[in-house]
């Protein structure tokens, strides 16, 4: 049995994780009785946590927005500095694929006093982030809304624009946010199609909770789903190539977000790559600077041969200068 102090910390963490919990849910998560939950809630209130409750069998407990954040003692400037730091870490991807900064920011924002939350909102509206690698921007507010939807455990209504700009509204069961180093992707189950989908976070116009609780069964690996979705995106042309190297070596050469890989024995890998046209794909393959065989289509094979011939002809007959340097 865990100590009373450890149990209280666990209870605070659960209350901060989502907007509302029933007494039975908390008791089940903490492996204690309903009576213990009610006693611990009373103890938290004595310690200064603003825990609100709704009466009735379907009522729940929640941390009131704007309450202070014991046992941390932060003044207004410190709380604002922490919130800004966490937001920048989440937007920049400084922690890689880890969503710890985003999760911590959600918890902090839930209990920030209104005066600090308003100041943070003003900064969100004033700050502009330079897109990395020419990629689109996503606001901190939208990123937090999507993260909150994933934590809430409720069905949501998603207003979304696809890659052609077509606007749709669909019901989804949110699951995870995935950062690829350049873009954020929202992973959710499309209720109507009964399929797990990935949505570009910067193309989300709005997300609203429906209040309908959902229990996700057999969710996918979100990172793998995003990698497959990005690699097999809406390209007009695909090429299949064979690399004389192992699967691990091929993945280091061509990331999983660029192509889909499958082994052909221990020393060869087949990779499918999408691109804008045959010439563009040939340029990418030539830039890999490694032996490869184009299996299909013929248009990409011919484009690669043409580029190779042009490169050879440009350098054929060139003689180095006497000092050993190349042509100037």
């Amino acid at each position: 049995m865990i100590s009373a102090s450890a149990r209280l910390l666990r209870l605070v963490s659960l209350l901060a994780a989502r907007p509302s919990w029933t007494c039975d849910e908390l008791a089940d998560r903490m492996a204690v009785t309903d009576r213990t939950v009610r006693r611990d809630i009373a103890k938290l209130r004595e310690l200064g946590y603003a825990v609100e409750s709704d009466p009735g069998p379907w009522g729940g407990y929640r941390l009131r927005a704007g309450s202070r954040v014991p046992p941390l003692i932060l003044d207004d400037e410190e709380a604002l500095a922490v919130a800004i730091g966490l937001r920048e870490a989440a937007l920049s991807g400084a922690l890689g694929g880890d969503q710890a900064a985003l999760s911590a920011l959600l918890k902090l924002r839930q209990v920030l006093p209104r005066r600090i939350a308003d100041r943070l909102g003003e900064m969100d509206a004033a700050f502009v982030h330079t897109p990395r690698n020419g990629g689109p921007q996503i606001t901190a507010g939208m990123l937090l809304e999507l993260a909150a939807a994933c934590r809430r455990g409720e069905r949501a209504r998603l207003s979304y624009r696809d890659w052609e700009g077509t606007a749709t509204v669909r019901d989804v069961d949110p699951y995870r946010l995935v950062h690829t180093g350049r873009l954020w992707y929202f992973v959710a189950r499309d209720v109507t199609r009964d399929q797990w989908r990935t949505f570009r976070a910067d193309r989300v116009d709005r997300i609203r909770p429906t209040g309908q609780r959902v229990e996700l069964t057999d969710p996918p690996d979100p990172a793998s789903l995003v990698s497959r979705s990005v690699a097999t995106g809406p390209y007009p042309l695909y090429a299949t190539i064979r690399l004389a190297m192992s699967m691990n070596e091929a993945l280091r050469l061509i990331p999983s977000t660029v192509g889909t890989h499958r082994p052909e024995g221990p020393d060869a890998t087949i990779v499918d790559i999408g691109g804008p046209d045959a010439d563009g794909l040939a340029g990418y393959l030539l830039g890999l600077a490694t032996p490869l065989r184009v299996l299909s289509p013929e248009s990409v094979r011919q484009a690669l041969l043409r580029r190779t011939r042009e490169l050879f002809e440009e350098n054929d007959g060139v003689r180095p200068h006497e000092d050993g340097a190349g042509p100037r």
Side-chain angles (χ1 to χ4, degrees), residues 206-318:
R206 187 179 182 187
I207 185 166
R208 293 169 292 169
T210 63
Q212 179 181 348
R213 302 283 302 166
V214 292
E215 194 72 31
L216 300 179
T217 58
D218 194 26
D221 178 345
S224 297
L225 184 66
V226 168
S227 292
R228 290 196 303 271
S229 176
V230 172
T232 59
Y235 296 108
L237 184 65
Y238 289 87
T240 301
I241 66 171
R242 184 184 186 275
L243 298 171
M245 60 183 67
S246 68
M247 181 85 156
N248 288 336
E249 292 173 314
L251 282 167
R252 285 194 291 269
L253 180 67
I254 302 175
S256 60
T257 53
V258 174
T260 56
H261 304 62
R262 56 187 184 277
E264 188 183 60
D267 300 317
T269 305
I270 305 299
V271 186
D272 297 313
I273 306 173
D277 50 45
D279 193 61
L281 277 168
Y284 175 79
L285 296 177
L286 194 61
L288 294 176
T290 190
L292 58 87
R293 178 182 298 172
V294 177
L295 302 180
S296 67
E298 183 64 23
S299 60
V300 174
R301 183 186 297 110
Q302 291 302 323
L304 182 61
L305 289 172
R306 183 178 64 255
R307 277 177 168 260
T308 304
R309 283 195 298 267
E310 291 172 353
L311 184 62
F312 176 80
E313 291 168 0
E314 283 185 13
N315 291 273
D316 185 34
V318 175

Side-chain angles (χ1 to χ4, degrees), residues 34 36 53 61 64 81 97 100 103 203 266 277 290 321:
D34 291 1
T36 299
S53 59
Y61 294 106
R64 186 178 67 212
S103 176
R203 292 177 180 161
D277 50 45
T290 190
H321 291 293

Side-chain angles (χ1 to χ4, degrees), residues 34-271:
D34 291 1
R35 181 179 179 182
T36 299
V37 170
R38 289 190 289 270
R39 187 168 61 243
D40 288 348
I41 290 292
K43 183 63 176 177
L44 288 180
R45 287 167 173 163
E46 291 177 9
L47 294 173
Y49 288 86
V51 181
E52 297 179 336
S53 59
D54 296 320
W58 303 107
Y61 294 106
R62 61 180 178 274
L63 281 177
R64 186 178 67 212
S67 59
R68 63 189 181 93
V69 278
L72 286 176
I73 306 300
L74 299 174
D75 61 25
D76 286 7
E77 297 301 321
E78 290 170 335
L80 184 61
V82 170
I84 292 174
L86 290 171
R87 184 196 63 182
E88 295 308 303
L91 284 173
S92 66
L95 299 178
D98 194 343
Q99 297 184 62
L102 198 56
S103 176
L105 181 55
L106 277 172
K107 291 181 179 180
L108 181 60
R109 270 201 162 181
Q110 186 175 349
V111 293
L112 280 177
R114 175 54 56 188
R115 60 185 180 279
I116 303 179
D118 288 344
R119 289 181 63 186
L120 187 61
E122 291 169 359
M123 289 186 174
D124 284 343
F127 288 174
V128 175
H129 292 264
T130 301
R132 298 183 300 280
N133 300 326
Q137 299 183 56
I138 180 173
T139 66
M142 177 55 70
L143 194 61
L144 285 174
E145 282 189 44
L146 293 172
C150 293
R151 298 178 64 89
R152 195 176 290 121
E154 294 180 5
R155 186 158 292 170
R157 190 145 293 148
L158 184 74
S159 300
Y160 184 74
R161 291 171 291 103
D162 65 17
W163 66 282
E164 293 181 317
T166 303
T168 59
V169 177
R170 63 189 85 189
D171 285 350
V172 297
D173 295 335
Y175 181 47
R176 289 289 187 272
L177 274 171
V178 176
H179 187 242
T180 64
R182 188 173 65 92
L183 296 171
W184 282 95
Y185 288 87
F186 176 55
V187 177
R189 190 179 73 89
D190 188 312
V191 176
T192 301
R193 299 182 182 181
D194 192 23
Q195 292 179 341
W196 286 99
R197 302 289 302 276
T198 62
F199 302 91
R200 279 261 299 266
D202 57 283
R203 292 177 180 161
V204 175
D205 291 325
R206 187 179 182 187
I207 185 166
R208 293 169 292 169
T210 63
Q212 179 181 348
R213 302 283 302 166
V214 292
E215 194 72 31
L216 300 179
T217 58
D218 194 26
D221 178 345
S224 297
L225 184 66
V226 168
S227 292
R228 290 196 303 271
S229 176
V230 172
T232 59
Y235 296 108
L237 184 65
Y238 289 87
T240 301
I241 66 171
R242 184 184 186 275
L243 298 171
M245 60 183 67
S246 68
M247 181 85 156
N248 288 336
E249 292 173 314
L251 282 167
R252 285 194 291 269
L253 180 67
I254 302 175
S256 60
T257 53
V258 174
T260 56
H261 304 62
R262 56 187 184 277
E264 188 183 60
D267 300 317
T269 305
I270 305 299
V271 186

Side-chain angles (χ1 to χ4, degrees), residues 2-11:
I2 63 174
S3 67
S5 297
R7 196 174 65 242
L8 289 177
L9 288 175
R10 170 65 172 157
L11 180 56

